[in-house]
């Protein structure tokens, strides 16, 4: 009797559980409940697809969205193009490994070296430099035809084209010639001077690059501020991005 009573109690509990879950219908099985859930999910998805088809049919094909310029279709999936940062590999390497103070220190050192080279070379016959003009004013056309630059400057014709160290005839007669006079030695000095100008050009370019890197690092540090900001100008290879920050009065 005890075993029969236990079996009857167990069956009654199962029936009551099914009735509570399935809305009080004892004839509904678990399989029927799963079928009902799948049917409702299927019809819900069909309603969504029907609404999307209607939206696609009602869409104007000539309508333009600004998002179209940075979205492309890949394998049937819309992918947003990520903005490309205008940073050279050398700039990115320095920006990741060095600090702003270090970059600024190197830039100041390069600027001092540039000033030292400029003081030595004077940029008188630098390559790419705009040539100087020396204008002479004469009264008549006859004087223009008979004009001689060497005699007017009181120097020898060989030194007329020089923009520096151009002594007069009196100086050449009174003082002894100092420095190199051999053509081979003069050519060697010219090559050395050309090398110095190339070095100066490289240092100027490096100083510009360090200045751009310092600006980009400073911009990235400023972006850590939570103040509302709007990008005004995109980042380029020769300059950082420009942001406009909302003014906040600080105590």
């Amino acid at each position: 009797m005890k075993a029969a009573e236990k079996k009857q109690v167990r069956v009654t509990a199962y029936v009551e559980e099914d009735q509570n879950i399935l809305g009080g219908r004892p004839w509904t099985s678990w399989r029927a409940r799963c079928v009902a859930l799948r049917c409702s999910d299927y019809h819900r998805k069909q309603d969504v697809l029907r609404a999307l088809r209607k939206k696609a049919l009602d869409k104007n094909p000539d309508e333009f969205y600004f998002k179209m310029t940075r979205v492309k279709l890949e394998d049937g999936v819309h992918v947003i193009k990520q903005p490309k940062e205008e940073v050279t590999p050398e700039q990115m390497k320095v920006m990741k490994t060095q600090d702003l103070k270090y970059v600024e220190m190197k830039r100041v050192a390069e600027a001092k070296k540039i000033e030292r080279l400029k003081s030595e070379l004077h940029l008188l016959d630098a390559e790419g430099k705009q040539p100087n003009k020396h204008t002479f004013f004469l009264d008549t056309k006859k004087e223009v035809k008979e004009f001689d630059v060497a005699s007017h400057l009181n120097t020898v014709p060989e030194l007329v084209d020089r923009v520096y160290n151009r002594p007069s005839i009196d100086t050449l007669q009174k003082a002894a010639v100092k420095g190199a006079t051999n053509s081979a030695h003069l050519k060697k000095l010219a090559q050395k001077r050309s090398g110095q100008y190339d070095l100066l050009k490289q240092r100027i370019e490096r100083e510009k690059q360090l200045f751009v890197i310092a600006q980009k690092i400073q911009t990235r540090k400023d972006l850590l501020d939570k103040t509302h900001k709007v990008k005004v100008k995109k980042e380029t290879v020769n300059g950082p991005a420009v942001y406009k920050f909302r003014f906040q009065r600080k105590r």
Side-chain angles (χ1 to χ4, degrees):
M1 288 295 295
K2 292 184 178 180
E5 290 177 358
K6 287 183 180 180
K7 183 176 181 181
Q8 186 178 3
V9 171
R10 189 180 298 113
V11 172
T12 305
Y14 289 159
V15 172
E16 290 178 354
E17 184 179 359
D18 289 343
Q19 290 178 352
N20 292 332
I21 295 175
L22 302 175
R25 291 176 291 181
W27 52 268
T28 305
S29 64
W30 285 100
R31 181 173 295 179
R33 178 175 179 271
C34 292
V35 171
L37 291 176
R38 285 199 299 268
C39 288
S40 62
D41 182 67
Y42 172 78
H43 288 297
R44 180 179 61 80
K45 292 179 179 178
Q46 289 298 319
D47 293 339
V48 172
L49 292 174
R50 195 177 299 109
L52 290 174
R53 291 193 191 97
K54 185 176 183 300
K55 185 177 179 181
L57 291 174
D58 295 340
K59 183 179 179 181
N60 183 7
D62 297 331
E63 192 171 1
F64 173 77
Y65 296 95
F66 285 99
K67 197 174 182 181
M68 294 178 181
T69 58
R70 54 190 181 90
V71 175
K72 61 180 179 179
L73 198 64
E74 292 183 358
D75 298 332
V77 181
H78 290 277
V79 179
I80 299 177
K81 298 177 183 178
Q82 297 298 330
K84 179 182 176 182
E85 293 188 355
E86 294 291 341
V87 183
T88 60
E90 292 80 8
Q91 291 178 355
M92 182 59 68
K93 183 178 179 180
V94 177
M95 290 167 62
K96 287 184 177 180
T97 56
Q98 306 298 344
D99 190 51
L100 177 61
K101 292 183 179 179
Y102 173 80
V103 175
E104 192 65 25
M105 180 190 70
K106 298 296 289 183
R107 189 188 70 81
V108 172
E110 287 292 333
K112 291 181 179 179
K113 293 178 182 178
I114 289 170
E115 291 298 327
R116 192 181 305 115
L117 280 173
K118 283 183 177 180
S119 64
E120 294 175 358
L121 298 174
H122 302 290
L123 299 178
L124 294 175
D125 55 350
E127 187 176 345
K129 181 179 178 293
Q130 185 177 1
N132 297 328
K133 293 183 179 180
H134 195 163
T135 306
F136 299 97
F137 296 93
L138 303 174
D139 296 331
T140 61
K141 293 182 179 180
K142 184 179 179 180
E143 293 180 355
V144 174
K145 292 181 180 180
E146 298 176 354
F147 181 74
D148 185 18
V149 180
S151 61
H152 187 81
L153 296 177
N154 192 22
T155 185
V156 294
E158 292 80 2
L159 301 179
V160 170
D161 295 334
R162 299 183 67 173
V163 295
Y164 64 96
N165 193 14
R166 186 171 56 196
S168 62
I169 295 176
D170 298 335
T171 305
L172 292 173
Q173 291 176 352
K174 294 178 182 179
V177 178
K178 296 180 180 180
T181 56
N182 189 8
S183 60
H185 196 184
L186 291 173
K187 186 177 180 180
K188 186 176 180 180
L189 290 176
Q191 291 178 353
K192 185 177 179 181
R193 191 183 306 111
S194 178
Q196 290 291 95
Y197 281 124
D198 292 339
L199 179 61
L200 177 61
K201 184 178 179 181
Q202 293 175 7
R203 291 197 179 279
I204 291 174
E205 186 64 26
R206 176 171 172 78
E207 194 269 338
K208 289 181 180 179
Q209 291 295 328
L210 289 174
F211 180 72
V212 172
I213 292 173
Q215 284 187 323
K216 290 183 178 181
I217 295 176
Q218 185 61 46
T219 302
R220 280 164 172 73
K221 284 191 174 183
D222 293 339
L223 290 178
L224 298 177
D225 191 1
K226 296 183 179 180
T227 308
H228 178 71
K229 47 196 167 289
V230 178
K231 181 183 283 188
V232 179
K233 185 178 178 182
K234 293 183 179 180
E235 186 178 89
T236 61
V237 177
N238 298 322
V242 179
Y243 291 86
K244 184 177 181 181
F245 290 82
R246 177 182 294 175
F247 175 75
Q248 286 186 350
R249 184 177 179 182
K250 297 183 179 180
R251 297 179 180 178

